[in-house]
Amino acid sequence: MQPNALLDALLAEAGMSHAGFAAHVNQAGHGRGLALRYEHTAVARWLKGQRPRGQVPDLLCEVLGSRLRRPLSLDDIGLGLPGSPAATATDGGPPGSPLGGFVDRATALWRSDGQARPHLLTAGAVCGTPAVIPVWEWENPPEDADVSRSGPTPVGPEHIEILRAARAHYELMYRRAGGVATRDRIVRFLGSETAPLLRGSYPDALGRGLYRAAGSLVAVAGICAYDSDAHGLAQRYFHQALRLAKASGDRGLGAYVIALLVNQSLHLREFRQAVAFAEAALRAAGRHTTPALAADLYAMQAKAYAQLGDTSSALTCIRYAEAAAERIRPGSEPDETGYVQPGLVNVQVAEALLGLGELDAAHEQATAAVGTPAHDRGRVHRLAMLCEIQLRQGEADRAVAAAAEMAERAKGMESLRLRDRLRTVREQLLTSGCSGARETAHLIDGALRVPL
């Protein structure tokens, strides 16, 4: 049995204690001629995943629906039949689910994550059809005709500004401290601040702005989960962000979220999926794809094609990426694509060229990337790429210097992705047997010594 996160979240939203909920269920049962004597212990069992018998699931819908002033189905409270789409969905709701049901499922996930449920952190990412459906649904009709909602909390423009400020805050924290350190903070914010707003009261136009701000914030939560090696959880956050982007009507935001899915697909070595997702983003967003986002999508496609051994397609995507990068104008990009800083496309292209075995061209691109100012997190990745290329070219002394700076820059960051890069470089240095390798490996060990 898995915990019933939906029922747990709805109880919290309704402000009902376990004992109070049991008493209301008993009372509702008496109205149907049932002699029920449930206590708080029964509610605790339901929350752990036990399914009550007979008419009781319907009574739970009735009690909670009356308290929350909206109809609730068995799927809505997590008691749908096992194996049904609602019971197996990973993106916050079954395919084609109404927006209201999606919000309930999304906020239930945030609550469960905030409670540090172990199964969420250890779940793997889905692949195949379940991974493709959210992208397909984002790209294709129907659109959300009206996202207005009537809820207990009036939502105003000032609330949207709070979500935007929170996104900027947590993104900066992620860059400075890493996703492991940031994840708990942003998840708590989603549960305590964002969820009540999505369940609040707002007209259509304001609601679209709200969903856009929430989607952008949820995407950062997914980035932090990815950086914490919780790939199933990260994917669910990305799928949620994609659904929120669709509700907002902002195609550019959706394309940005798909870029995050492309990056995760590359890490998981799902190269064909990475190519297909990038194509979907570029196709569906069209003119809403900014130069920065287009550059990143094409560069990631190039890396995927290189790993698939398709040299021609990889080189074509590299040309597209470089052409798009030349069109980037500072101050003209949305906040989400701020990560496409000068030098990012260079290091992406360097990795693609390395995959093609073009060491000299890869070295030129990696050198250009390292020579461009970047925040510490980005610089660690750039130095790691340069170090790997230099070792392959026999430039041991330069590789040792790059690795030493990389280890120094990584200090204080709690990121499993950065730790992967550090371990890889350490192994490459020791395998090379070059002068200074052991001393630099010792520096890397220092950066890895504190457990996360």
Side-chain angles (χ1 to χ4, degrees):
M1 290 190 300
Q2 285 193 353
N4 189 334
L6 281 169
L7 183 59
D8 184 33
L10 289 169
L11 269 178
E13 183 186 353
M16 300 179 76
S17 67
H18 293 184
F21 184 48
H24 279 84
V25 171
N26 292 339
Q27 185 177 358
H30 293 162
R32 297 190 186 188
L34 303 175
L36 303 178
R37 294 181 176 82
Y38 287 119
E39 297 180 349
H40 65 93
T41 53
V43 178
R45 291 195 299 271
W46 301 339
L47 294 176
K48 289 178 181 177
Q50 184 184 88
R51 194 178 195 279
R53 298 178 181 179
Q55 301 179 44
V56 177
D58 293 325
L59 293 175
L60 271 55
C61 291
E62 178 184 321
V63 170
L64 284 170
S66 175
R67 184 68 170 247
L68 297 173
R69 298 182 181 179
R70 64 177 186 267
L72 295 173
S73 68
L74 293 178
D75 286 338
D76 292 332
I77 66 169
L79 292 177
L81 294 177
S84 68
T88 58
T90 64
D91 63 346
S97 62
L99 193 54
F102 163 77
V103 168
D104 286 341
R105 287 176 169 79
T107 54
L109 175 65
W110 305 343
R111 180 173 172 81
S112 291
D113 192 11
Q115 294 171 340
R117 298 283 172 83
H119 72 280
L120 291 177
L121 294 175
T122 57
V126 298
C127 57
T129 301
V132 172
I133 285 177
V135 177
W136 186 89
E137 289 194 331
W138 168 76
E139 184 178 1
N140 293 282
E143 306 298 326
D144 294 287
D146 184 358
V147 303
S148 61
R149 181 169 176 140
S150 178
T153 305
V155 178
E158 68 277 10
H159 296 110
I160 296 176
E161 289 304 317
I162 290 173
L163 296 188
R164 289 174 178 165
R167 184 207 177 277
H169 174 80
Y170 291 120
E171 182 184 52
L172 184 59
M173 183 183 296
Y174 157 76
R175 287 181 177 178
R176 289 177 173 172
V180 176
T182 308
R183 198 179 72 81
D184 288 345
R185 298 280 296 275
I186 192 170
V187 169
R188 285 202 302 270
F189 183 90
L190 287 173
S192 63
E193 304 296 331
T194 312
L197 294 178
L198 292 181
R199 294 193 296 250
S201 183
Y202 39 84
D204 178 69
L206 188 68
R208 293 188 187 277
L210 175 66
Y211 283 119
R212 195 204 181 287
S216 186
L217 183 61
V218 169
V220 177
I223 292 170
C224 291
Y226 167 84
D227 203 39
S228 303
D229 222 11
H231 285 287
L233 183 60
Q235 186 184 52
R236 293 178 73 174
Y237 277 120
F238 293 149
H239 288 169
Q240 286 184 358
L242 197 57
R243 180 66 184 93
L244 289 163
K246 178 155 188 169
S248 77
D250 189 325
R251 281 285 178 178
L253 176 63
Y256 157 74
V257 176
I258 292 182
L260 300 177
L261 287 166
V262 172
N263 184 63
Q264 185 182 39
S265 297
L266 288 171
H267 177 76
L268 298 176
R269 304 189 65 79
E270 296 284 349
F271 300 121
R272 295 190 186 280
Q273 180 174 282
V275 169
F277 283 179
E279 287 178 349
L282 291 163
R283 177 177 62 246
R287 61 184 178 84
H288 300 288
T289 307
T290 66
L293 186 56
D296 191 37
L297 286 166
Y298 281 126
M300 288 191 290
Q301 270 194 316
K303 291 198 294 186
Y305 277 126
Q307 293 299 318
L308 291 169
D310 189 339
T311 301
S312 176
S313 295
L315 293 175
T316 297
C317 287
I318 286 174
R319 288 196 296 271
Y320 288 157
E322 291 175 335
E326 290 178 358
R327 298 196 306 272
I328 299 174
R329 297 293 178 265
S332 62
E333 293 278 335
D335 293 341
E336 289 80 16
T337 54
Y339 71 94
V340 187
Q341 298 182 338
L344 175 74
V345 173
N346 294 101
V347 76
Q348 297 271 49
V349 168
E351 189 172 349
L353 291 169
L354 185 62
L356 295 174
E358 300 286 344
L359 290 182
D360 289 342
H363 185 273
E364 182 180 349
Q365 292 285 346
T367 301
V370 170
T372 306
H375 54 73
D376 283 347
R377 182 186 181 86
R379 190 159 183 81
V380 168
H381 284 296
R382 297 178 190 193
L383 288 165
M385 179 55 55
L386 180 61
C387 180
E388 180 177 352
I389 295 169
Q390 288 171 335
L391 284 173
R392 291 197 186 188
Q393 290 186 310
E395 298 182 5
D397 291 341
R398 292 184 178 182
V400 166
E405 183 185 348
M406 180 196 67
E408 184 64 29
R409 295 271 185 171
K411 287 181 179 179
M413 294 187 191
E414 297 188 2
S415 163
L416 293 182
R417 292 284 67 75
L418 289 188
R419 289 197 163 208
D420 285 346
R421 298 305 296 263
L422 289 171
R423 291 191 184 98
T424 298
V425 169
R426 180 186 185 279
E427 182 179 347
Q428 291 169 343
L429 282 171
L430 292 176
T431 301
S432 73
C434 63
S435 174
R438 290 194 176 278
E439 291 81 356
T440 307
H442 182 69
L443 291 176
I444 295 175
D445 288 338
L448 295 172
R449 189 166 292 121
V450 179
L452 302 186

